């Protein structure tokens, strides 16, 4: 799923996502079950919302750091102004105690010479001027920092409000997605129980410029049960690699090939088997829906189904196998097989 939306204004993105959440979706009954398309669409919207929420969260964190830095600098400047004010006060007090407050004629009388008096006056004036200049300069710096901090605070507040809206949007999409996921799974369970596979659901395929010959069967996942592991749910040993993924997530053909079978009965529930060059076959099991028909050619990364929990399954996941024949019992370690083709899990 493509998550790149560089160059789009955040408010436009939020508006589009809000419309996607609140506006009704037109019915397209002639193209297959709407719920499959709804789930695929909501997955994409959830990914986009998450990506922009995370970007906004990082931006808000950086902005808060900037505000804290400006706050520290502003505090230092204000402290410097106070120190300079204190210095000026001490100088004025010292000048008074040493005769600075006497009339000019009295100072002339006490001075040993006019030159000494003038020299002392110049030194006092210069000191006063230096302190006053320093105070003015520091006050201006503090004013600039205060303005910068107010601007940074407004930017932080704006980001916080935007992120709160995106978080609410994410929760709304997640709620709609969860509802659609279990509706999709319910339809899948009914078709498996009836032994009647539904036809292929034609989803809009992702646009990709990738030229890779092999890819992972799902884009985002957590690995669960591995090849040849033991478990109470398998009669002998586990024959594939499981990918823990949510219901309705797109399942991809790992490489170019041809669909040799689509079935919906037995322990694997709804499943697709694809043949590849070199005599290998890949199986995608426990699906909630399929998007291809038997005999169809597929390309690497093409969506061929949606994750589910049909058949002998304890929760949503994709069971993926690599076989030497189309049938169960000829499996090889899919993790090693993919790694040999440049696809580490």
């Amino acid at each position: 799923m493509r998550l790149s939306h560089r160059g789009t204004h955040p408010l436009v993105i939020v508006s589009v996502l809000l419309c996607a959440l609140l506006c009704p979706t037109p019915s397209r009954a002639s193209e297959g079950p709407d719920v499959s398309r709804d789930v695929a669409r909501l997955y994409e919207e959830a990914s986009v919302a998450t990506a922009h929420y995370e970007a906004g969260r990082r931006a808000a964190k950086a902005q808060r750091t900037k505000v804290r830095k400006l706050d520290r600098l502003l505090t230092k400047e204000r402290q410097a102004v106070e120190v300079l004010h204190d210095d000026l006060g001490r100088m004025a007090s010292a000048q008074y105690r040493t005769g600075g407050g006497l009339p000019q004629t009295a100072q002339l009388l006490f001075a040993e010479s006019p030159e000494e008096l003038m020299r002392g006056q110049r030194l006092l004036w210069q000191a006063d001027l230096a302190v006053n200049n320093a105070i003015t300069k520091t006050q201006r710096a503090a004013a600039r920092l205060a303005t910068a901090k107010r601007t940074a605070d407004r930017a932080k507040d704006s980001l916080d409000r935007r992120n709160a809206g995106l978080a609410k949007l994410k929760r709304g999409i997640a709620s709609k997605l969860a509802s659609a996921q279990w509706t999709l799974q319910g339809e899948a369970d009914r078709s498996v129980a009836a032994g009647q596979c539904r036809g292929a659901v034609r989803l809009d395929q992702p646009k990709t410029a990738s030229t890779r010959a092999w890819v992972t069967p799902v884009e985002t996942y957590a690995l669960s049960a591995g090849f040849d592991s033991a478990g109470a749910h398998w009669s002998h040993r586990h024959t594939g690699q499981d990918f823990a993924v949510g219901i309705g997530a797109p399942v991809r053909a790992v490489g170019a090939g041809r669909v040799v079978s689509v079935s919906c009965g037995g322990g694997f529930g709804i499943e697709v088997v694809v043949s590849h060059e070199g005599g290998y076959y890949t199986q995608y099991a426990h699906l909630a829906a399929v998007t291809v028909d038997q005999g169809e050619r597929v390309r690497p990364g093409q969506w061929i189904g949606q994750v589910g929990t049909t058949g002998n399954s304890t929760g949503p996941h994709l069971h993926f196998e690599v076989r030497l024949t189309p049938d169960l019992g000829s499996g090889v370690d899919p993790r090693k097989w993919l790694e040999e083709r440049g696809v580490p899990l």
Side-chain angles (χ1 to χ4, degrees):
M1 290 176 283
R2 297 178 64 84
L3 304 181
S4 177
H5 292 268
R6 290 176 293 181
T8 305
H9 194 281
L11 291 177
V12 174
I13 294 167
V14 173
S15 299
V16 172
L17 291 173
L18 281 171
C19 182
L21 175 63
L22 301 174
C23 299
T25 303
S27 175
R28 294 178 290 177
S30 61
E31 296 180 22
D34 280 339
V35 67
S36 288
R37 286 189 300 275
D38 288 344
V39 170
R41 174 178 55 81
L42 287 165
Y43 259 105
E44 179 69 14
E45 290 171 7
S47 296
V48 171
T50 298
H52 285 93
Y53 173 75
E54 289 302 315
R57 187 184 60 79
R58 290 191 295 271
K61 182 180 179 181
Q63 191 65 29
R64 284 191 289 271
T65 300
K66 181 179 179 180
V67 168
R68 286 195 295 269
K69 181 179 179 181
L70 285 169
D71 199 32
R72 289 194 297 270
L73 291 173
L74 184 57
T75 299
K76 288 182 180 179
E77 289 294 342
R78 286 171 174 164
Q79 289 172 345
V81 171
E82 292 175 1
V83 169
L84 288 169
H85 271 297
D86 290 343
D87 288 344
L88 187 59
R90 284 194 295 272
M91 289 177 62
S93 177
Q95 184 181 5
Y96 178 79
R97 288 196 304 271
T98 57
L102 293 175
Q104 185 72 19
T105 54
Q107 293 183 38
L108 284 170
L109 291 173
F110 286 109
E112 294 183 2
S113 67
E115 291 79 9
E116 179 185 349
L117 175 64
M118 295 305 296
R119 186 167 54 251
Q121 286 293 330
R122 280 197 301 273
L123 289 174
L124 285 173
W125 291 336
Q126 288 171 354
D128 286 349
L129 182 62
V131 173
N132 279 321
N133 286 341
I135 288 175
T136 300
K137 182 179 178 181
T138 306
Q139 286 175 332
R140 287 173 179 170
R144 287 195 300 271
L145 281 171
T147 300
K149 185 177 181 300
R150 285 194 296 271
T151 301
D153 280 333
R154 286 194 294 270
K156 179 185 74 66
D157 292 343
S158 177
L159 281 168
D160 287 342
R161 288 193 300 272
R162 174 177 174 268
N163 288 346
L166 283 172
K168 182 178 180 181
L169 181 64
K170 273 183 59 184
R171 291 192 296 270
I173 293 175
S175 177
K176 288 186 69 176
L177 176 58
S179 176
Q181 283 175 318
W182 289 110
T183 299
L184 175 63
Q185 182 61 41
E187 292 185 359
D189 290 338
R190 285 190 291 274
S191 69
V192 170
Q196 296 178 345
C197 293
R198 292 178 294 163
V201 178
R202 299 303 178 180
L203 300 178
D204 294 334
Q205 292 292 327
K207 295 180 177 64
T208 177
S210 174
T211 57
R212 295 180 60 186
W214 301 96
V215 297
T216 55
V218 285
E219 188 171 4
T220 304
Y221 57 86
L223 296 177
S224 48
F227 179 73
D228 205 31
S229 56
H233 299 287
W234 312 303
S235 56
H236 298 290
R237 307 285 287 186
H238 194 233
T239 54
Q241 174 64 58
D242 286 351
F243 296 79
V245 193
I247 293 171
V251 175
R252 311 188 294 184
V254 296
R258 183 177 62 86
V259 179
V260 297
S261 69
V262 176
S263 58
C264 63
F268 287 119
I270 299 175
E271 62 171 321
V272 174
V273 177
V274 177
S275 65
H276 305 277
E277 63 178 16
Y280 290 100
Y281 297 81
T282 53
Q283 180 211 28
Y284 312 80
H286 303 309
L287 304 178
V290 296
T291 62
V292 291
D293 289 316
Q294 186 171 324
E296 189 173 332
R297 301 290 305 182
V298 295
R299 66 181 184 278
Q302 179 178 335
W303 290 353
I304 60 174
Q306 291 175 280
V307 171
T309 181
T310 54
N312 183 20
S313 171
T314 58
H317 73 283
L318 171 69
H319 175 86
F320 174 72
E321 287 194 21
V322 177
R323 300 171 176 174
L324 299 175
T325 73
D327 305 312
L328 178 65
S330 60
V332 298
D333 188 340
R335 190 165 185 168
K336 291 181 180 179
W337 187 84
L338 284 171
E339 287 176 354
E340 290 170 358
R341 287 154 180 78
V343 185
L345 299 180

